[in-house]
Amino acid sequence: MTGDSSCRRVPAHRARGVWAVGDVVAGTPQLAHVAFAEAIVAVKTMLGETVVPVEYGRVPWAIYCHPEVAFCG
């Protein structure tokens, strides 16, 4: 699925009231903390509150190995 910055399902005219967050959204990191942030954006948009879109370029990542590796952006 694809979604806009407010996590609405695209194309919105064909799926009115459908939202997409987490692993079902194509092209976004499939990480739990990303899905959680997307869910906050979706709910705030549904409620008509001010929303700050998820900045996918600033998502922290970690690779569990020895030695440990992590990066952000």
Side-chain angles (χ1 to χ4, degrees), residues 29-53:
Q30 295 184 347
L31 302 167
H33 52 282
V34 172
F36 185 83
E38 290 172 340
I40 290 171
V41 169
V43 171
K44 283 189 169 193
T45 302
M46 289 175 207
L47 296 173
E49 297 181 9
T50 303
V51 176
V52 177

Side-chain angles (χ1 to χ4, degrees), residues 4-22:
D4 63 11
S5 64
S6 296
C7 297
R8 285 190 184 99
R9 171 75 173 89
V10 177
H13 69 280
R14 295 179 62 194
R16 190 171 306 269
V18 176
W19 304 77
V21 299

